[in-house]
Amino acid sequence: MTTASAPLPTQRADLLARLAQPHHYDLAVIGGGATGLGVALDAAARGFSVVLVDSHDFAKGTSSRATKLVHGGVRYLAQGNIALVREALHERTTLLHNAPHLAQPLPFVMPSYRFWETPFYGVGLMMYDALAGKAGLGATQFLGRESTLRCLPTARTEGLKGGVKYWDGQFDDARLALALARTAASLGALVVNYCPAKSLVHEAGKVVGFVCEDADSGQQFTVRARSVVNATGVWVDTLRQMDGEAIGRPVKPMVAPSQGVHIVVDREFLPSDHALMVPKTADGRVLFAVPWLGKLILGTTDSPRQDVVREPEPFREEVRFILEESARYLTRAPKAEDIRSIWVGLRPLVKPQDDDGDNTKKISREHTVLASRSGLITVTGGKWTTYRAMAEDVLQKCFATGLLPAKPAGVTNQLPLVGTPQAPVQHRISDAQGLHSYGSEAADVQAIPGAQTVLGGGLTEAMVRFAARHEYACTVEDVLARRSRLLFLDARQAIQLAPAVAGILREELGSDPQLEAFQALAQQYLHVPL
């Protein structure tokens, strides 16, 4: 199965007109992150009629704030969660194959400063290879001191014994989410951002749809469907409670939010196409230094959080932890003034019903799919790498509960996403972003006026117009945070380009591109709480 080659238009008026038409869908999804988009794509690929709405932009929440790793989860292997690691390793290879312009293999090196670390971690990583089997990306290698420094030229030399090299993957999370949305649309799904679900519709105790509202005009739409999927990530409990109240069955919260902080600095702090991985820091957490889109990501943390805000801010101790731990492994330690951008992602960890969720390290990273008494299907937990498997589990739950007629699984296993090129990809995800990020659609971007007008940060005027015409972009933030990743890479440069982007969007859309709101948001990505 292949997707349409010509980019589909995404004019908002047309999308809302379709949403207004009376139609009884097979499947309606609330939530446009990795999980919801994966469900929409899988269902559309199996021939079901599908609609998906999101309250904000696609991947605005957790799904644009990952550590950018497509991985099996080395730390989950250390926890003994073999099944989760095996599934993730299989899905890792599938993802890399279906979107090679957005997801690629990446070598990692664990430097060893104690004599036992190389053999200890090396044996564990050989188990990682064994679990991957034919889905492996490369064999684990034991490195001497000099080889380790060739891979990690700015690693601290004092006490360095050697290292272990292994392979995982990395990706551009927000653009991959967008590719899922656009691929689903190419297969007939209606996907609409900025259209929050305001209420669920019940008949005879069963959920039969929802009411959603265009965030700009306030126009409301009633969507009816045979099955309704709650894929709102850390916000799933809001819809679950709404559902429970409607049928008189209160529910207990199932999500224990955890936040991960990421700091972005220039590549000079680790000028390499290898990532650095520390499996056990001073307090037992994992530390990554990952080359990504021309910069270096340092992170991540894993801190419990009680609230689920749209733009969480880092805790002071988290920033200190990342900077202090980085200083233990790099010859030149990044300081607060070196930070180009700092951002936080919330993870929807599924807690046991008798657990208060305070220790996020012990909470399962596996996903959960539930069907309520009303038939509302809720999916949460899991990780980006396993989005496709999670989608298959959601569809299976719809079949098992009689909401949909069963159709064979596996249709997305070899389904190239929009933009997948025919020829082998020459660029790395660690390279600075640019025209190559569009894969096979690069020529379509170049055909738009402004292709030679460079705004900065790898962004051209044509790319902004392409985002408005074909990528559902409505605001400056949509363009500079998720079509281009500049907000996540260099918030100060994003602020500088914002007025030019706003001007182009006004021409394309004739609506307010929310320039001032973006400028205020970008200041948050520059704020370092020390």
Side-chain angles (χ1 to χ4, degrees):
M1 185 184 298
T2 58
T3 56
S5 56
L8 294 176
T10 57
Q11 278 88 354
R12 188 158 186 84
D14 293 343
L15 298 175
L16 295 179
R18 284 181 62 189
L19 194 60
Q21 293 173 0
H23 186 82
H24 198 259
Y25 292 92
D26 293 320
L27 185 88
V29 183
I30 304 173
T35 306
L37 292 168
V39 171
L41 175 57
D42 193 323
R46 297 197 209 192
F48 291 113
S49 59
V50 178
V51 60
L52 176 147
V53 299
D54 191 86
S55 60
H56 294 74
D57 188 26
F58 305 126
K60 157 75 174 176
T62 302
S63 296
S64 61
R65 303 156 190 268
T67 313
K68 318 308 179 194
L69 303 181
V70 183
H71 63 134
V74 172
R75 63 173 169 167
Y76 309 142
L77 180 63
Q79 295 168 1
N81 198 333
I82 303 298
L84 176 63
V85 175
R86 183 183 287 115
E87 177 183 65
L89 287 170
H90 171 78
E91 292 300 325
R92 176 189 69 177
T93 302
T94 300
L95 200 164
L96 267 58
H97 177 265
N98 288 343
H101 58 307
L102 298 173
Q104 297 170 2
L106 177 71
F108 288 72
V109 173
M110 288 184 186
S112 303
Y113 291 91
R114 298 179 180 88
F115 72 91
W116 55 269
E117 288 179 326
T118 296
F120 178 78
Y121 292 121
V123 169
L125 288 166
M126 290 173 74
M127 290 176 57
Y128 197 58
D129 290 349
L131 282 174
K134 293 181 179 178
L137 303 178
T140 292
Q141 296 175 264
F142 292 80
L143 303 179
R145 186 176 187 276
E146 295 306 315
S147 295
T148 300
L149 288 173
R150 279 195 293 271
C151 296
L152 305 174
T154 53
R156 180 170 61 85
T157 57
E158 181 183 356
L160 180 65
K161 311 295 184 189
V164 183
K165 177 178 176 177
Y166 73 101
W167 288 84
D168 247 326
Q170 71 170 162
F171 72 136
D172 184 336
D173 50 1
R175 287 203 63 83
L176 184 66
L178 184 64
L180 293 177
R182 297 179 63 215
T183 307
S186 75
L187 296 172
L190 172 60
V191 295
V192 186
N193 53 356
Y194 295 107
C195 198
K198 293 295 186 179
S199 62
L200 297 172
V201 178
H202 290 82
E203 292 178 359
K206 297 297 182 181
V207 64
V208 295
F210 55 80
V211 176
C212 56
E213 181 179 284
D214 175 30
D216 182 40
S217 68
Q219 181 182 1
Q220 292 199 336
F221 308 86
T222 298
V223 174
R224 300 182 68 84
R226 300 165 71 177
S227 55
V228 178
V229 175
N230 173 14
T232 52
V234 291
W235 294 276
V236 293
D237 287 329
T238 300
L239 272 179
R240 290 180 65 241
Q241 289 164 1
M242 193 185 298
D243 178 54
E245 290 169 3
I247 61 174
R249 295 186 65 88
V251 298
K252 287 186 66 175
M254 64 185 292
V255 169
S258 165
Q259 80 171 23
V261 174
H262 304 83
I263 287 173
V264 177
V265 296
D266 288 336
R267 281 282 289 276
E268 65 191 51
F269 290 97
L270 184 61
S272 172
D273 287 319
H274 290 68
L276 182 152
M277 193 270 207
V278 178
K280 193 170 185 179
T281 58
D283 70 351
R285 287 183 283 193
V286 175
L287 178 73
F288 292 102
V290 180
W292 185 70
L293 299 183
K295 298 290 184 182
L296 183 71
I297 297 177
L298 303 173
T300 178
T301 58
D302 192 3
S303 307
R305 186 168 187 135
Q306 301 307 313
D307 57 338
V308 285
V309 296
R310 283 285 163 186
E311 287 289 348
E313 297 190 47
F315 302 133
R316 179 180 290 110
E317 56 270 24
E318 293 177 304
V319 177
R320 286 180 176 171
F321 161 76
I322 293 173
L323 293 178
E324 289 171 1
E325 287 298 316
S326 299
R328 296 180 60 200
Y329 294 94
L330 297 174
T331 52
R332 181 184 162 211
K335 297 181 171 57
E337 56 267 28
D338 297 311
I339 296 176
R340 299 296 186 187
S341 185
I342 182 168
W343 35 275
V344 182
L346 296 181
R347 303 184 183 98
L349 305 184
V350 182
K351 63 181 179 181
Q353 292 301 289
D354 59 350
D355 188 278
D356 60 12
D358 284 341
N359 186 350
T360 60
K361 298 187 192 71
K362 295 182 179 179
I363 298 177
S364 174
R365 261 61 180 175
E366 294 181 86
H367 64 273
T368 295
V369 182
L370 299 176
S372 75
R373 285 289 183 94
S374 76
L376 178 68
I377 304 297
T378 293
V379 54
T380 194
K383 50 195 271 191
W384 235 121
T385 306
T386 57
Y387 83 88
R388 199 197 65 83
M390 292 168 67
E392 290 194 335
D393 288 349
V394 169
L395 268 293
Q396 184 57 43
K397 180 66 77 172
C398 291
F399 303 154
T401 51
L403 295 172
L404 292 175
K407 293 187 179 183
V411 294
T412 58
N413 198 41
Q414 296 185 48
L415 176 62
L417 301 184
V418 163
T420 296
Q422 297 294 321
V425 174
Q426 301 299 319
H427 76 279
R428 300 184 180 100
I429 301 296
S430 56
D431 296 340
Q433 60 185 348
L435 189 62
H436 54 261
S437 303
Y438 293 82
S440 64
E441 294 188 312
D444 297 303
V445 176
Q446 288 295 84
I448 292 176
Q452 305 307 316
T453 305
V454 177
L455 303 179
L459 185 67
T460 67
E461 178 185 324
M463 291 174 185
V464 179
R465 297 190 188 280
F466 188 82
R469 297 178 188 182
H470 303 292
E471 295 183 327
Y472 299 90
C474 298
T475 70
V476 173
E477 182 192 333
D478 296 346
V479 173
L480 289 176
R482 289 172 293 277
R483 282 34 173 206
S484 162
R485 308 310 311 278
L486 195 57
L487 177 63
F488 287 77
L489 295 166
D490 190 330
R492 189 166 283 106
Q493 187 178 19
I495 292 172
Q496 293 168 352
L497 300 191
V501 171
I504 298 167
L505 289 178
R506 284 192 194 96
E507 287 181 21
E508 289 287 329
L509 304 174
S511 57
D512 177 15
Q514 301 181 26
L515 173 60
E516 293 77 13
F518 174 76
Q519 290 170 325
L521 174 64
Q523 289 296 335
Q524 180 178 320
Y525 282 62
L526 284 172
H527 177 62
V528 182
L530 289 177

